Amino acid sequence: KGVHGRVEATAEGGRFTLSRGPREFTLPSFYRGARKVASATGTVEWTLGTEGGAAWSDDLVIRSEGVEATINGAGLWRTDTASPFVTTTVTLDEGTVGAVSSLLLIKKLPGAFHTWFKGAVKGGTVKRLTIATQGYVHALPFDAGPSGITLSADIRGVEFAYAPGWPQASDVSARIRVRGRRFDARVISAKLFGARSKRFAMVIPNLTARPLRLDINGTVSGDAADALRFVRESVLDSSLGHQLSELAATGPCEIALNMALEVPVGRPKRLAGTVKLNENRVTTGIGPVLENASGTLEFDLDGLRLRKATALYLDTPVMLSTQPALDDGATVIAMQGTADRAFLKRLSAAPDPLALEKHSLLDRIVKGRSKWQASLQLPGRERNAPRMLRITTPLTGMALDLPGALGK
């Protein structure tokens, strides 16, 4: 209805030059209801035979619902088959994400994917969109064997709220691809708080699965404060937040994530990650202030682990690690170093909870050096539980140069 143009036809075939319309079209295999058309131009040619026929076009231009697309394609049909076999390529130079997504959300995609996509992808533009289709019309898009539908596009300037309860990424530029039942997004750049992505991939392995699983794998670089903020402002706060509630850190770091979320609800099904610190300043709220802290913090749904980290405490090198979590989920940070007279002098004047009462006598009578260990217990699931600090040293290698009879 509403189609205008010129027809040239014979018994063997013909040509139709479209000059206007139709005002709407229907594709029952793809969309619920009709799609509105602002304009359509181009040429369609066809041939007919005793066993079937063919039709093709390489210059159809359709403007529909805010986007302009060019269609190149061909269809073959036989009198003894249920539906035509089609090969088409739809290309679009540029459009808004909102307008293009209305064409991408075909009805055979499950409702969970529709809900997730509409809530996750906000704003931005789509460039160089290509949709290639090959298969029998009745079997598209997922039941056409190895062919089906392949989609690729570049998205820019997108706000990506990938799952409820997780911090959203902003200013996302990515290459997205759908092939059969698989959705891939290769993130070129994005911002997560103040951090910038280095490489990131988001994959839905099976678009028809219930529930949908979103796999996220990649790294971002930024400030350690952003890494802590990511945990505290996500659903991870319920499982890991108590272990980080006393920690603060600033300085460069790299965050690596490998997780699987159930979407659209955002429930984590798998989580593993690392935070690599590089000369950070770390405080615990009740314990020592550490400078030049470097090392790797590992985390998963069960807790945190610090592997062979190094730092300076009062200008003295120390080694740091975490001990196995206690039954209530409390984290124990172990620290070890070497004490000498200069260290004890700085320690006696340190304005932190490890401070000793200042005695200038220490500076005059202490000789040698000795190893020491400290364990700092941070709250577990009971966040109001007491914090505990324990320091031990065998004093091996140290001596006191006492005056007079005391030195005998």
Side-chain angles (χ1 to χ4, degrees), residues 105 109-119 204 207-213 262-265:
L105 294 176
L109 290 171
F113 181 78
H114 282 238
T115 302
W116 173 76
F117 192 90
K118 289 177 180 178
I204 297 178
L207 290 171
T208 61
R210 297 184 182 183
L212 286 178
R213 190 187 84 220
E262 183 181 318
V263 294
V265 295

Side-chain angles (χ1 to χ4, degrees), residues 25-351:
F25 67 93
T26 58
L27 290 174
S29 294
F30 289 84
Y31 301 112
R32 296 179 176 90
R35 314 297 298 185
K36 301 297 182 181
V37 176
S39 66
T41 58
T43 301
V44 179
E45 299 182 66
W46 69 89
T47 60
L48 299 172
T50 57
E51 297 183 353
W56 63 92
S57 175
D58 59 7
D59 64 351
L60 277 180
V61 178
I62 296 179
R63 296 173 182 85
S64 173
E65 302 186 13
V67 298
E68 178 178 298
T70 301
I71 302 175
N72 301 303
L76 300 172
W77 66 91
R78 295 175 56 90
T79 56
D80 58 353
T81 58
S83 65
F85 187 92
V86 296
T87 301
T88 62
T89 301
V90 179
T91 57
L92 182 145
D93 291 333
E94 184 172 354
T96 66
V97 168
V100 174
S101 64
S102 68
L103 298 178
L104 301 183
L105 294 176
I106 57 182
K107 73 178 186 182
K108 285 194 176 181
L109 290 171
F113 181 78
H114 282 238
T115 302
W116 173 76
F117 192 90
K118 289 177 180 178
V121 183
K122 303 174 182 178
T125 59
V126 176
K127 294 180 178 289
R128 292 182 290 276
L129 169 68
T130 300
I131 305 174
T133 304
Q134 183 173 335
Y136 287 98
V137 171
H138 74 279
L140 293 172
F142 299 127
D143 301 320
S147 301
I149 288 181
T150 300
L151 177 149
S152 62
D154 295 329
I155 59 173
R156 298 179 183 178
V158 168
E159 300 291 320
F160 192 39
Y162 47 92
W166 295 84
Q168 74 176 28
S170 61
D171 196 21
V172 177
S173 294
R175 181 72 171 171
I176 64 172
R177 179 181 174 91
V178 176
R179 183 173 180 84
R181 291 176 167 86
R182 182 182 175 91
F183 169 89
D184 287 274
R186 304 292 173 179
V187 178
I188 300 167
S189 65
K191 290 168 61 176
L192 190 64
F193 303 128
R196 272 281 179 188
S197 68
K198 295 182 66 175
R199 55 187 180 276
F200 238 88
M202 298 187 179
V203 176
I204 297 178
N206 186 352
L207 290 171
T208 61
R210 297 184 182 183
L212 286 178
R213 190 187 84 220
L214 174 65
D215 296 335
I216 300 176
N217 196 316
T219 61
V220 297
S221 58
D223 193 272
D226 292 323
L228 296 177
R229 186 180 172 190
F230 177 83
V231 173
R232 290 168 181 156
E233 297 187 18
S234 73
V235 298
L236 296 178
D237 186 62
S238 61
S239 57
L240 302 180
H242 60 274
Q243 297 173 296
L244 297 173
S245 61
E246 301 288 339
L247 294 178
T250 57
C253 80
E254 183 176 279
I255 310 163
L257 286 173
N258 182 350
M259 61 184 183
L261 305 178
E262 183 181 318
V263 294
V265 295
R267 184 181 300 114
K269 307 298 288 184
R270 181 187 74 245
L271 172 70
T274 60
V275 178
K276 292 184 179 179
L277 304 178
N278 182 18
E279 298 187 350
N280 278 222
R281 188 175 195 269
V282 179
T283 62
T284 62
I286 66 166
V289 176
L290 304 174
E291 305 287 351
N292 294 347
S294 299
T296 301
L297 179 69
E298 301 173 352
F299 61 91
D300 54 30
L301 291 174
D302 296 323
L304 304 169
R305 294 168 298 280
L306 186 63
R307 305 292 190 191
K308 296 182 178 179
T310 61
L312 293 177
Y313 175 53
L314 298 178
D315 295 327
T316 300
V318 295
M319 296 286 295
L320 300 129
S321 62
T322 52
Q323 296 175 354
L326 303 180
D327 291 340
D328 66 348
T331 299
V332 179
I333 300 176
M335 183 167 61
Q336 60 183 4
T338 301
D340 57 13
R341 181 169 58 186
F343 176 78
L344 291 177
K345 182 178 180 181
R346 291 190 293 270
L347 184 65
S348 67

